[in-house]
Amino acid sequence: MSAGDGIRVASLDDIPQGEGIAVDKSVTGTDDDIALLRDTDDTVYALNDTCTHETASLAEGWVEDGYVECPLHSSRFCLKSGEVQGLPATRDTCPHRVEVRDGEVYLFPGETP
Amino acid sequence: MSERVVIVGGGVAGVSTAGALRAGGFDGDLTLVDAGEFPYDRPPLSKDFLAGTQDIKQIALKPQQWYDDQRVRLMNRTTVSALRPADGAVELVDGALLPADRVVLATGGGAARPPIPGAHSDRVHVLRTAKDADRLREALGSGARVLVVGAGLIGAEAASTAVRLGCEVVLADPVAVPLAAAIGAELADWLHGLHHRAGITTLHTGVDGFTDRPGGIEARFTDAGEPAAEPQVFDAVLLGVGMVPRTEIAQSAGLRVEGGIVVDERQLTSHPAVLAVGDPARTRRDGVLLPRTEHWEAAQHDGARAAATLLGTTPPPATAPWFWTDRHDRHVEAVGHMASAELTVVRGSYDDPAFAVFGLRDGHVVAAASVDDPMAVRAARRMIDRQVAVRAGPLADPSVNLRSLLRG
Ligand SMILES: Cc1cc2nc3c(=O)[nH]c(=O)nc-3n(C[C@H](O)[C@H](O)[C@H](O)COP(=O)(O)OP(=O)(O)OC[C@H]3O[C@@H](n4cnc5c(N)ncnc54)[C@H](O)[C@@H]3O)c2cc1C
């Protein structure tokens, strides 16, 4: 498959609403795993999986209303931009472009959404 | 709006206040005065920082650049010695005056040092600052005999770190089941039992006194309804017996202080130009003095509220109190007031790798605590804040998605 179509990484049904799943970096070819996060309005976003504070996986976080909350210390990141909203994390995380076509989720690692 | 705001203290409360002020559009002069080397975070001091797996740079609350970007004038290694609200200033230890139209006291607290005979020994430690942690770490070599007095949050975490570093640890507390009020007696008991399983000796006792001996320090124990434990010699002792709010400058400025700097629900002290946030602040609501909350997130929320008060904007909605603690590789979270629950249900079981306990009252969740299941507590927090009616059955059933219960 050409990079232009993205990598098919999951079906939409694999990701419960308000939750996330992690895609391994061996699949994405990135430095970090990538979290696919399905917001409460069913939009899917992709962010680097590791919280910029310590080592928690954002895919295990709480996803709601445009933000994901880290499962360890509740730092919040904007799903669209990766911007950090509050301590203890201080650095933004990296967003990736993601597309849902026919119920399948396609990831474009490294591409800005 | 005030032109010059001075924040006294660069802990999470002070730094959050500064951040929230700028985020809210504050355009005046903003100065953050902190006695330490630079603002850093405290929770790691009993965990990874104590273990030596995180260094001081990694626990900075904000990167240096942030202060420049946010136009926060950061005065490190500087102590405020007095408030001079009448002069529109605060006074520094060197006598210099710093102009301030409004002052936010974010002075935190110091580790409690009860007057136990012999506790001034070099072998007796407390844990509140990075320096304390550095000094304690040096005493935690493999095989070191360590006594931790107090099995609350900090004592329990430090004991867990010490045993991980190979120390022989004794953990003494006169309270049979520490944390019972916060997380419920059953879970607290289970959690306390983790120490024993990790190889720590737990003693249900207080400490009467210490005596320096060649090669160690002897601790004498009090009996707490049981025969007193025999005196024992240790290489190091950690007192984890609570913290004392730092209220001196508030007190000497004539502000109302009663077991904390008394504030209203907008963080205003008894002086209209002075606010207080974080560990030293004690809220008075409807004429009743509430207990101080000595938790990280509460300090952050205080900062956001103080900023809203200074800006004259609507404060963020109050949320149920939340904290976490990490010990023996288990991540524990708690939200709400477990003591007010009339019924508790366990989701999963204490033998599961992850489980949670919910406290209910009148068909609503009022508290929850989790072990390695933080999402259960995040769900509970929203159930509490949104006053969602829930039944015990589905809460207790791990196959029921908690988010679905939130939708009502
Ligand atoms: C070892 C440890 C572990 C913890 N673990 C957890 C945890 O796991 N979970 C949790 O929820 N909470 C935890 N806490 C509690 C949490 O860290 C505190 O609630 C939080 O630090 C309070 O923040 P603060 O800003 O109010 O005070 P502090 O962090 O105490 O900061 C106050 C600052 O003010 C400065 N200061 C004081 N007076 C002056 C002055 N006159 N002039 C200039 N500067 C001054 C001090 O130097 C200090 O830097 C822990 C605390 C400790 C000590």
Side-chain angles (χ1 to χ4, degrees):
Chain A
M1 184 194 304
S2 83
D5 299 324
I7 313 171
R8 199 200 71 85
V9 282
S11 296
L12 185 58
D13 291 344
D14 298 337
I15 321 170
Q17 193 190 63
E19 297 184 28
I21 58 171
V23 184
D24 199 86
K25 56 188 174 212
S26 63
V27 176
T28 61
T30 44
D31 289 342
D32 189 7
D33 297 347
I34 292 181
L36 298 177
L37 305 159
R38 180 169 174 179
D39 202 357
T40 31
D41 68 358
D42 286 329
T43 314
V44 177
Y45 298 92
L47 298 176
N48 276 3
D49 186 46
T50 310
C51 177
T52 61
H53 176 229
E54 287 183 353
T55 54
S57 158
L58 292 180
E60 290 167 22
W62 186 280
V63 182
E64 188 170 73
D65 294 341
Y67 297 94
V68 57
E69 183 181 297
C70 173
L72 272 187
H73 305 125
S74 293
S75 276
R76 286 187 342 136
F77 297 89
C78 173
L79 292 172
K80 269 198 193 108
S81 66
E83 196 186 334
V84 64
Q85 307 294 307
L87 290 167
T90 60
R91 280 173 294 124
D92 297 344
T93 189
C94 177
H96 303 270
R97 182 156 85 94
V98 66
E99 258 179 38
V100 180
R101 296 194 298 268
D102 301 326
E104 299 298 310
V105 182
Y106 295 85
L107 185 62
F108 300 77
E111 273 189 43
T112 334
Chain B
M1 187 204 298
S2 311
E3 279 305 322
R4 295 161 303 186
V5 171
V6 170
I7 301 170
V8 186
V12 63
V15 169
S16 299
T17 306
L21 272 172
R22 286 297 188 221
F26 177 71
D27 202 32
D29 283 352
L30 188 48
T31 304
L32 181 65
V33 186
D34 187 59
E37 271 155 75
F38 62 84
Y40 59 82
D41 208 11
R42 274 174 222 286
L45 299 183
S46 49
K47 309 176 183 81
D48 286 337
F49 185 79
L50 181 60
T53 48
Q54 255 183 348
D55 64 26
I56 185 80
K57 290 214 178 70
Q58 285 170 295
I59 65 167
L61 274 168
K62 295 282 187 187
Q64 191 58 38
Q65 184 64 37
W66 184 85
Y67 299 94
D68 299 338
D69 293 347
Q70 298 294 315
R71 291 177 294 124
V72 176
R73 180 177 171 216
L74 177 61
M75 298 175 72
N76 291 323
R77 296 192 189 83
T78 308
T79 301
V80 170
S81 56
L83 301 181
R84 301 268 210 86
D87 303 329
V90 302
E91 189 178 324
L92 306 180
V93 265
D94 62 6
L97 290 185
L98 201 60
D101 300 303
R102 305 292 288 277
V103 177
V104 181
L105 293 174
T107 47
R113 276 210 175 249
I116 304 172
H120 52 265
S121 161
D122 280 350
R123 291 188 187 267
V124 176
H125 298 253
V126 293
L127 186 50
R128 180 78 195 181
T129 66
K131 278 207 181 74
D132 292 341
D134 286 336
R135 210 173 75 81
L136 178 60
R137 190 186 310 109
E138 286 184 11
L140 298 184
S142 181
R145 298 160 299 172
V146 179
L147 170 66
V148 178
V149 182
L153 296 170
I154 291 173
E157 292 184 356
S160 153
T161 302
V163 81
R164 172 145 66 103
L165 294 174
C167 302
E168 271 176 46
V169 184
V170 174
L171 178 59
D173 197 312
V175 176
V177 187
L179 281 186
I183 60 174
E186 208 178 40
L187 178 57
D189 190 45
W190 180 88
L191 207 56
H192 195 55
L194 285 185
H195 295 308
H196 179 70
R197 275 180 262 163
I200 293 173
T201 305
T202 48
L203 296 179
H204 176 199
T205 176
V207 171
D208 244 1
F210 301 106
T211 309
D212 275 312
R213 301 273 183 223
I217 182 166
E218 183 185 87
R220 289 179 302 283
F221 300 102
T222 53
D223 61 303
E226 287 166 27
E230 289 299 311
Q232 266 188 67
V233 175
F234 297 93
D235 297 301
V237 174
L238 170 66
L239 299 177
V241 293
M243 77 92 166
V244 180
R246 210 170 273 125
T247 58
E248 296 84 355
I249 57 176
Q251 190 127 34
S252 41
L255 271 54
R256 187 157 170 206
V257 172
E258 273 179 73
I261 307 169
V262 178
V263 295
D264 67 8
E265 284 173 281
R266 303 160 61 210
Q267 308 300 138
L268 281 167
T269 69
S270 58
H271 192 292
V274 184
L275 294 83
V277 290
D279 277 6
R282 185 162 185 203
T283 308
R284 209 162 90 114
R285 183 192 296 152
D286 304 328
V288 180
L289 276 172
L290 307 177
R292 280 181 292 107
T293 32
E294 299 168 5
H295 294 306
W296 191 95
E297 191 192 61
Q300 194 188 25
H301 287 177
D302 279 3
R305 240 182 337 265
T309 300
L310 291 169
L311 292 162
T313 55
T314 315
T319 71
W322 170 83
F323 72 90
W324 81 95
T325 170
D326 297 299
R327 54 188 67 186
H328 307 302
D329 287 324
R330 309 302 295 262
H331 178 72
V332 180
E333 296 195 5
V335 67
H337 300 280
M338 198 59 94
S340 65
E342 54 193 14
L343 167 73
T344 56
V345 293
V346 183
R347 180 177 168 88
S349 98
Y350 287 92
D351 299 325
D352 290 344
F355 62 90
V357 177
F358 291 83
L360 291 125
R361 186 184 187 89
D362 301 330
H364 289 82
V365 173
V366 291
S370 67
V371 176
D372 293 322
D373 187 7
M375 288 307 112
V377 160
R378 310 304 168 87
R381 157 173 239 171
R382 288 161 173 90
M383 292 173 189
I384 300 171
D385 290 343
R386 297 172 198 170
Q387 297 179 8
V388 181
V390 278
R391 285 178 301 114
L395 274 180
D397 181 352
S399 71
V400 173
N401 183 317
L402 290 173
R403 288 165 217 255
S404 69
L405 300 182
L406 251 181
R407 285 171 213 126

